[in-house]
Amino acid sequence: LTYSIGSYISSQKQYGRSGISTFTKNDTVNKLLEVISNSLDKIKSNGISKEELDRSMGAIVGAQPFKFENNKAFLAQLIYLDHIERPYAELFDFKNAVLKYTAEDVAKKINDVYGMKNQIVFVLGDKSIGVELVKMKSKMGSVKILDFKSFI
């Protein structure tokens, strides 16, 4: 159904960005969007398991030291904290800050950030898939079909 999928969050001082990025064939775009939407709905309804939470927290906490593998990376973290006006102590309190979250907190945040009604769904593909995308309006909200040339 998909060649790859991933998500990201990028925070700034006064705003942030988040997204889900994936790749599929033109004829499976609607199915893929439906699977993503259903997965998010499932998290909203059922939450996440303790095992999922523990695995995710372990990965996040375990990856943190790699942000400081060299001076440039460490300085980038300090500059980022300066930019968003956060204390440097957050670098050292990171593990405790992550571990305080509950499965309910994470499920709510996933819905708040990634819920289909909160996202702008951008599909780059053949214009023939637009007809099918419009059918998903009830799940995705507003659907606007644009010519790719308007982005060039």
Side-chain angles (χ1 to χ4, degrees):
L1 183 60
T2 183
Y3 303 113
S4 68
I5 190 166
S7 63
Y8 64 90
I9 294 177
S10 176
S11 58
Q12 301 292 319
K13 182 177 177 182
Q14 297 175 341
Y15 64 92
R17 280 170 255 146
S18 64
I20 298 171
S21 175
T22 186
F23 306 90
T24 192
K25 300 177 288 196
N26 284 335
D27 59 341
T28 57
V29 168
N30 277 23
K31 179 66 178 164
L32 180 59
L33 289 172
E34 187 177 316
V35 167
I36 292 169
S37 179
N38 290 344
S39 297
L40 292 168
D41 288 346
K42 183 179 173 186
I43 291 170
K44 183 178 179 181
S45 300
N46 303 335
I48 62 170
S49 71
K50 177 79 168 106
E51 293 77 24
E52 290 170 315
L53 178 68
D54 290 344
R55 187 174 52 248
S56 296
M57 286 181 161
I60 292 168
V61 169
Q64 177 68 0
F66 294 106
K67 291 184 176 182
F68 313 107
E69 285 190 303
N70 59 51
N71 290 341
K72 182 179 175 183
F74 180 67
L75 290 173
Q77 291 296 310
L78 296 178
I79 291 168
Y80 171 70
L81 289 172
D82 285 343
H83 174 67
I84 61 172
E85 297 179 351
R86 305 293 300 189
Y88 295 155
E90 287 188 8
L91 296 177
F92 306 104
D93 298 336
F94 183 79
K95 179 179 178 181
N96 293 330
V98 170
L99 296 179
K100 76 177 184 179
Y101 286 95
T102 66
E104 293 79 20
D105 295 333
V106 174
K108 181 180 182 326
K109 186 56 76 177
I110 288 170
N111 183 61
D112 291 348
V113 172
Y114 293 108
M116 292 300 276
K117 299 284 184 174
N118 301 329
Q119 293 291 319
I120 295 172
V121 178
F122 175 82
V123 177
L124 178 62
D126 189 83
K127 65 181 177 180
S128 65
I129 63 176
V131 174
E132 293 300 315
L133 287 173
V134 171
K135 293 178 184 176
M136 294 197 66
K137 197 173 187 176
S138 64
K139 279 257 187 202
M140 297 188 327
S142 174
V143 174
K144 187 187 299 186
I145 309 296
L146 302 171
D147 189 316
F148 79 93
K149 292 174 187 163
S150 64
F151 293 98
I152 295 177

PDB file of all heavy atoms in Angstrom, residues 58-83:
ATOM      1  N   GLY A  58      11.330   4.594  25.164  1.00  0.00           N
ATOM      2  CA  GLY A  58      12.695   4.059  25.128  1.00  0.00           C
ATOM      3  C   GLY A  58      13.461   4.557  23.917  1.00  0.00           C
ATOM      4  O   GLY A  58      14.639   4.922  24.017  1.00  0.00           O
ATOM      5  N   ALA A  59      12.789   4.607  22.775  1.00  0.00           N
ATOM      6  CA  ALA A  59      13.438   5.084  21.554  1.00  0.00           C
ATOM      7  C   ALA A  59      13.764   6.572  21.648  1.00  0.00           C
ATOM      8  O   ALA A  59      14.857   7.004  21.258  1.00  0.00           O
ATOM      9  CB  ALA A  59      12.545   4.812  20.344  1.00  0.00           C
ATOM     10  N   ILE A  60      12.843   7.352  22.170  1.00  0.00           N
ATOM     11  CA  ILE A  60      13.057   8.799  22.275  1.00  0.00           C
ATOM     12  C   ILE A  60      14.180   9.116  23.258  1.00  0.00           C
ATOM     13  O   ILE A  60      15.097   9.887  22.960  1.00  0.00           O
ATOM     14  CB  ILE A  60      11.745   9.513  22.680  1.00  0.00           C
ATOM     15  CG1 ILE A  60      10.736   9.418  21.537  1.00  0.00           C
ATOM     16  CG2 ILE A  60      12.004  10.958  23.079  1.00  0.00           C
ATOM     17  CD1 ILE A  60       9.320   9.831  21.918  1.00  0.00           C
ATOM     18  N   VAL A  61      14.112   8.509  24.434  1.00  0.00           N
ATOM     19  CA  VAL A  61      15.139   8.752  25.454  1.00  0.00           C
ATOM     20  C   VAL A  61      16.489   8.208  24.985  1.00  0.00           C
ATOM     21  O   VAL A  61      17.528   8.845  25.168  1.00  0.00           O
ATOM     22  CB  VAL A  61      14.715   8.139  26.808  1.00  0.00           C
ATOM     23  CG1 VAL A  61      15.865   8.145  27.803  1.00  0.00           C
ATOM     24  CG2 VAL A  61      13.513   8.892  27.376  1.00  0.00           C
ATOM     25  N   GLY A  62      16.483   7.049  24.342  1.00  0.00           N
ATOM     26  CA  GLY A  62      17.724   6.442  23.871  1.00  0.00           C
ATOM     27  C   GLY A  62      18.391   7.213  22.758  1.00  0.00           C
ATOM     28  O   GLY A  62      19.622   7.205  22.626  1.00  0.00           O
ATOM     29  N   ALA A  63      17.597   7.903  21.952  1.00  0.00           N
ATOM     30  CA  ALA A  63      18.154   8.672  20.836  1.00  0.00           C
ATOM     31  C   ALA A  63      18.686  10.030  21.271  1.00  0.00           C
ATOM     32  O   ALA A  63      19.507  10.632  20.570  1.00  0.00           O
ATOM     33  CB  ALA A  63      17.088   8.857  19.754  1.00  0.00           C
ATOM     34  N   GLN A  64      18.240  10.538  22.393  1.00  0.00           N
ATOM     35  CA  GLN A  64      18.600  11.878  22.845  1.00  0.00           C
ATOM     36  C   GLN A  64      20.110  12.130  22.895  1.00  0.00           C
ATOM     37  O   GLN A  64      20.579  13.146  22.382  1.00  0.00           O
ATOM     38  CB  GLN A  64      17.955  12.170  24.204  1.00  0.00           C
ATOM     39  CG  GLN A  64      18.312  13.497  24.825  1.00  0.00           C
ATOM     40  CD  GLN A  64      17.763  14.702  24.102  1.00  0.00           C
ATOM     41  OE1 GLN A  64      17.077  14.590  23.099  1.00  0.00           O
ATOM     42  NE2 GLN A  64      18.052  15.876  24.615  1.00  0.00           N
ATOM     43  N   PRO A  65      20.918  11.236  23.454  1.00  0.00           N
ATOM     44  CA  PRO A  65      22.365  11.530  23.522  1.00  0.00           C
ATOM     45  C   PRO A  65      23.026  11.705  22.151  1.00  0.00           C
ATOM     46  O   PRO A  65      24.037  12.397  22.044  1.00  0.00           O
ATOM     47  CB  PRO A  65      22.943  10.297  24.240  1.00  0.00           C
ATOM     48  CG  PRO A  65      21.805   9.749  25.019  1.00  0.00           C
ATOM     49  CD  PRO A  65      20.575  10.020  24.192  1.00  0.00           C
ATOM     50  N   PHE A  66      22.447  11.116  21.122  1.00  0.00           N
ATOM     51  CA  PHE A  66      23.042  11.236  19.790  1.00  0.00           C
ATOM     52  C   PHE A  66      22.909  12.650  19.224  1.00  0.00           C
ATOM     53  O   PHE A  66      23.569  12.986  18.233  1.00  0.00           O
ATOM     54  CB  PHE A  66      22.430  10.208  18.836  1.00  0.00           C
ATOM     55  CG  PHE A  66      22.776   8.799  19.216  1.00  0.00           C
ATOM     56  CD1 PHE A  66      21.834   7.974  19.791  1.00  0.00           C
ATOM     57  CD2 PHE A  66      24.063   8.317  19.024  1.00  0.00           C
ATOM     58  CE1 PHE A  66      22.153   6.678  20.166  1.00  0.00           C
ATOM     59  CE2 PHE A  66      24.398   7.019  19.391  1.00  0.00           C
ATOM     60  CZ  PHE A  66      23.441   6.197  19.968  1.00  0.00           C
ATOM     61  N   LYS A  67      22.074  13.485  19.862  1.00  0.00           N
ATOM     62  CA  LYS A  67      21.965  14.874  19.427  1.00  0.00           C
ATOM     63  C   LYS A  67      23.206  15.680  19.798  1.00  0.00           C
ATOM     64  O   LYS A  67      23.346  16.820  19.398  1.00  0.00           O
ATOM     65  CB  LYS A  67      20.729  15.533  20.052  1.00  0.00           C
ATOM     66  CG  LYS A  67      19.427  15.012  19.529  1.00  0.00           C
ATOM     67  CD  LYS A  67      18.272  15.787  20.139  1.00  0.00           C
ATOM     68  CE  LYS A  67      16.955  15.356  19.546  1.00  0.00           C
ATOM     69  NZ  LYS A  67      15.851  16.134  20.111  1.00  0.00           N
ATOM     70  N   PHE A  68      24.090  15.085  20.595  1.00  0.00           N
ATOM     71  CA  PHE A  68      25.247  15.804  21.115  1.00  0.00           C
ATOM     72  C   PHE A  68      26.558  15.112  20.744  1.00  0.00           C
ATOM     73  O   PHE A  68      27.542  15.208  21.454  1.00  0.00           O
ATOM     74  CB  PHE A  68      25.145  15.922  22.639  1.00  0.00           C
ATOM     75  CG  PHE A  68      23.800  16.379  23.090  1.00  0.00           C
ATOM     76  CD1 PHE A  68      22.911  15.503  23.695  1.00  0.00           C
ATOM     77  CD2 PHE A  68      23.390  17.685  22.875  1.00  0.00           C
ATOM     78  CE1 PHE A  68      21.664  15.922  24.094  1.00  0.00           C
ATOM     79  CE2 PHE A  68      22.135  18.112  23.274  1.00  0.00           C
ATOM     80  CZ  PHE A  68      21.276  17.231  23.880  1.00  0.00           C
ATOM     81  N   GLU A  69      26.570  14.414  19.623  1.00  0.00           N
ATOM     82  CA  GLU A  69      27.751  13.642  19.240  1.00  0.00           C
ATOM     83  C   GLU A  69      28.950  14.515  18.872  1.00  0.00           C
ATOM     84  O   GLU A  69      30.070  14.048  18.905  1.00  0.00           O
ATOM     85  CB  GLU A  69      27.430  12.710  18.080  1.00  0.00           C
ATOM     86  CG  GLU A  69      26.618  11.517  18.522  1.00  0.00           C
ATOM     87  CD  GLU A  69      26.510  10.485  17.427  1.00  0.00           C
ATOM     88  OE1 GLU A  69      26.028  10.827  16.335  1.00  0.00           O
ATOM     89  OE2 GLU A  69      26.920   9.351  17.670  1.00  0.00           O
ATOM     90  N   ASN A  70      28.689  15.759  18.521  1.00  0.00           N
ATOM     91  CA  ASN A  70      29.811  16.648  18.222  1.00  0.00           C
ATOM     92  C   ASN A  70      29.462  18.055  18.684  1.00  0.00           C
ATOM     93  O   ASN A  70      28.328  18.347  19.034  1.00  0.00           O
ATOM     94  CB  ASN A  70      30.176  16.609  16.731  1.00  0.00           C
ATOM     95  CG  ASN A  70      29.024  17.014  15.839  1.00  0.00           C
ATOM     96  OD1 ASN A  70      28.408  18.067  16.049  1.00  0.00           O
ATOM     97  ND2 ASN A  70      28.721  16.202  14.836  1.00  0.00           N
ATOM     98  N   ASN A  71      30.460  18.907  18.712  1.00  0.00           N
ATOM     99  CA  ASN A  71      30.262  20.276  19.212  1.00  0.00           C
ATOM    100  C   ASN A  71      29.199  21.030  18.428  1.00  0.00           C
ATOM    101  O   ASN A  71      28.390  21.762  18.997  1.00  0.00           O
ATOM    102  CB  ASN A  71      31.580  21.049  19.169  1.00  0.00           C
ATOM    103  CG  ASN A  71      32.572  20.545  20.193  1.00  0.00           C
ATOM    104  OD1 ASN A  71      32.200  19.881  21.153  1.00  0.00           O
ATOM    105  ND2 ASN A  71      33.839  20.842  19.988  1.00  0.00           N
ATOM    106  N   LYS A  72      29.231  20.864  17.115  1.00  0.00           N
ATOM    107  CA  LYS A  72      28.259  21.559  16.265  1.00  0.00           C
ATOM    108  C   LYS A  72      26.829  21.170  16.643  1.00  0.00           C
ATOM    109  O   LYS A  72      25.943  22.027  16.744  1.00  0.00           O
ATOM    110  CB  LYS A  72      28.546  21.233  14.800  1.00  0.00           C
ATOM    111  CG  LYS A  72      27.635  21.927  13.833  1.00  0.00           C
ATOM    112  CD  LYS A  72      28.005  21.559  12.391  1.00  0.00           C
ATOM    113  CE  LYS A  72      27.022  22.160  11.426  1.00  0.00           C
ATOM    114  NZ  LYS A  72      27.299  21.778  10.047  1.00  0.00           N
ATOM    115  N   ALA A  73      26.590  19.893  16.861  1.00  0.00           N
ATOM    116  CA  ALA A  73      25.249  19.416  17.219  1.00  0.00           C
ATOM    117  C   ALA A  73      24.831  19.946  18.587  1.00  0.00           C
ATOM    118  O   ALA A  73      23.686  20.354  18.785  1.00  0.00           O
ATOM    119  CB  ALA A  73      25.212  17.890  17.202  1.00  0.00           C
ATOM    120  N   PHE A  74      25.782  19.948  19.540  1.00  0.00           N
ATOM    121  CA  PHE A  74      25.475  20.463  20.877  1.00  0.00           C
ATOM    122  C   PHE A  74      25.137  21.947  20.811  1.00  0.00           C
ATOM    123  O   PHE A  74      24.152  22.400  21.393  1.00  0.00           O
ATOM    124  CB  PHE A  74      26.664  20.220  21.818  1.00  0.00           C
ATOM    125  CG  PHE A  74      26.424  20.720  23.215  1.00  0.00           C
ATOM    126  CD1 PHE A  74      25.476  20.129  24.027  1.00  0.00           C
ATOM    127  CD2 PHE A  74      27.147  21.783  23.711  1.00  0.00           C
ATOM    128  CE1 PHE A  74      25.246  20.585  25.320  1.00  0.00           C
ATOM    129  CE2 PHE A  74      26.930  22.259  25.000  1.00  0.00           C
ATOM    130  CZ  PHE A  74      25.979  21.656  25.809  1.00  0.00           C
ATOM    131  N   LEU A  75      25.925  22.706  20.078  1.00  0.00           N
ATOM    132  CA  LEU A  75      25.661  24.136  19.933  1.00  0.00           C
ATOM    133  C   LEU A  75      24.330  24.392  19.228  1.00  0.00           C
ATOM    134  O   LEU A  75      23.612  25.335  19.573  1.00  0.00           O
ATOM    135  CB  LEU A  75      26.806  24.823  19.189  1.00  0.00           C
ATOM    136  CG  LEU A  75      28.110  24.927  19.978  1.00  0.00           C
ATOM    137  CD1 LEU A  75      29.220  25.462  19.090  1.00  0.00           C
ATOM    138  CD2 LEU A  75      27.928  25.792  21.207  1.00  0.00           C
ATOM    139  N   ALA A  76      23.989  23.561  18.264  1.00  0.00           N
ATOM    140  CA  ALA A  76      22.696  23.705  17.582  1.00  0.00           C
ATOM    141  C   ALA A  76      21.546  23.536  18.570  1.00  0.00           C
ATOM    142  O   ALA A  76      20.539  24.248  18.487  1.00  0.00           O
ATOM    143  CB  ALA A  76      22.581  22.694  16.443  1.00  0.00           C
ATOM    144  N   GLN A  77      21.687  22.610  19.516  1.00  0.00           N
ATOM    145  CA  GLN A  77      20.644  22.418  20.531  1.00  0.00           C
ATOM    146  C   GLN A  77      20.528  23.662  21.427  1.00  0.00           C
ATOM    147  O   GLN A  77      19.430  24.102  21.763  1.00  0.00           O
ATOM    148  CB  GLN A  77      20.946  21.185  21.392  1.00  0.00           C
ATOM    149  CG  GLN A  77      20.816  19.882  20.656  1.00  0.00           C
ATOM    150  CD  GLN A  77      19.404  19.621  20.210  1.00  0.00           C
ATOM    151  OE1 GLN A  77      18.459  19.711  20.985  1.00  0.00           O
ATOM    152  NE2 GLN A  77      19.239  19.319  18.932  1.00  0.00           N
ATOM    153  N   LEU A  78      21.667  24.233  21.811  1.00  0.00           N
ATOM    154  CA  LEU A  78      21.651  25.444  22.634  1.00  0.00           C
ATOM    155  C   LEU A  78      21.026  26.619  21.879  1.00  0.00           C
ATOM    156  O   LEU A  78      20.222  27.379  22.438  1.00  0.00           O
ATOM    157  CB  LEU A  78      23.067  25.799  23.089  1.00  0.00           C
ATOM    158  CG  LEU A  78      23.759  24.792  24.007  1.00  0.00           C
ATOM    159  CD1 LEU A  78      25.174  25.262  24.331  1.00  0.00           C
ATOM    160  CD2 LEU A  78      22.953  24.546  25.271  1.00  0.00           C
ATOM    161  N   ILE A  79      21.371  26.760  20.612  1.00  0.00           N
ATOM    162  CA  ILE A  79      20.799  27.837  19.789  1.00  0.00           C
ATOM    163  C   ILE A  79      19.293  27.659  19.659  1.00  0.00           C
ATOM    164  O   ILE A  79      18.529  28.623  19.753  1.00  0.00           O
ATOM    165  CB  ILE A  79      21.485  27.893  18.406  1.00  0.00           C
ATOM    166  CG1 ILE A  79      22.925  28.372  18.567  1.00  0.00           C
ATOM    167  CG2 ILE A  79      20.715  28.770  17.432  1.00  0.00           C
ATOM    168  CD1 ILE A  79      23.781  28.195  17.329  1.00  0.00           C
ATOM    169  N   TYR A  80      18.856  26.423  19.456  1.00  0.00           N
ATOM    170  CA  TYR A  80      17.419  26.139  19.345  1.00  0.00           C
ATOM    171  C   TYR A  80      16.708  26.540  20.637  1.00  0.00           C
ATOM    172  O   TYR A  80      15.667  27.201  20.604  1.00  0.00           O
ATOM    173  CB  TYR A  80      17.188  24.659  19.033  1.00  0.00           C
ATOM    174  CG  TYR A  80      15.745  24.259  19.119  1.00  0.00           C
ATOM    175  CD1 TYR A  80      14.832  24.699  18.164  1.00  0.00           C
ATOM    176  CD2 TYR A  80      15.283  23.470  20.153  1.00  0.00           C
ATOM    177  CE1 TYR A  80      13.498  24.351  18.248  1.00  0.00           C
ATOM    178  CE2 TYR A  80      13.956  23.116  20.244  1.00  0.00           C
ATOM    179  CZ  TYR A  80      13.061  23.555  19.297  1.00  0.00           C
ATOM    180  OH  TYR A  80      11.745  23.220  19.384  1.00  0.00           O
ATOM    181  N   LEU A  81      17.257  26.168  21.787  1.00  0.00           N
ATOM    182  CA  LEU A  81      16.635  26.534  23.068  1.00  0.00           C
ATOM    183  C   LEU A  81      16.608  28.046  23.238  1.00  0.00           C
ATOM    184  O   LEU A  81      15.626  28.600  23.747  1.00  0.00           O
ATOM    185  CB  LEU A  81      17.350  25.851  24.230  1.00  0.00           C
ATOM    186  CG  LEU A  81      17.119  24.349  24.337  1.00  0.00           C
ATOM    187  CD1 LEU A  81      18.018  23.736  25.406  1.00  0.00           C
ATOM    188  CD2 LEU A  81      15.657  24.021  24.615  1.00  0.00           C
ATOM    189  N   ASP A  82      17.670  28.721  22.818  1.00  0.00           N
ATOM    190  CA  ASP A  82      17.668  30.191  22.848  1.00  0.00           C
ATOM    191  C   ASP A  82      16.534  30.735  21.984  1.00  0.00           C
ATOM    192  O   ASP A  82      15.802  31.645  22.397  1.00  0.00           O
ATOM    193  CB  ASP A  82      18.995  30.758  22.335  1.00  0.00           C
ATOM    194  CG  ASP A  82      20.133  30.625  23.326  1.00  0.00           C
ATOM    195  OD1 ASP A  82      19.859  30.395  24.524  1.00  0.00           O
ATOM    196  OD2 ASP A  82      21.292  30.749  22.894  1.00  0.00           O
ATOM    197  N   HIS A  83      16.399  30.174  20.803  1.00  0.00           N
ATOM    198  CA  HIS A  83      15.381  30.642  19.848  1.00  0.00           C
ATOM    199  C   HIS A  83      13.969  30.516  20.409  1.00  0.00           C
ATOM    200  O   HIS A  83      13.148  31.414  20.237  1.00  0.00           O
ATOM    201  CB  HIS A  83      15.499  29.862  18.549  1.00  0.00           C
ATOM    202  CG  HIS A  83      14.421  30.160  17.565  1.00  0.00           C
ATOM    203  ND1 HIS A  83      14.292  31.387  16.940  1.00  0.00           N
ATOM    204  CD2 HIS A  83      13.395  29.394  17.094  1.00  0.00           C
ATOM    205  CE1 HIS A  83      13.234  31.365  16.142  1.00  0.00           C
ATOM    206  NE2 HIS A  83      12.688  30.165  16.218  1.00  0.00           N
TER     207      HIS A  83
END
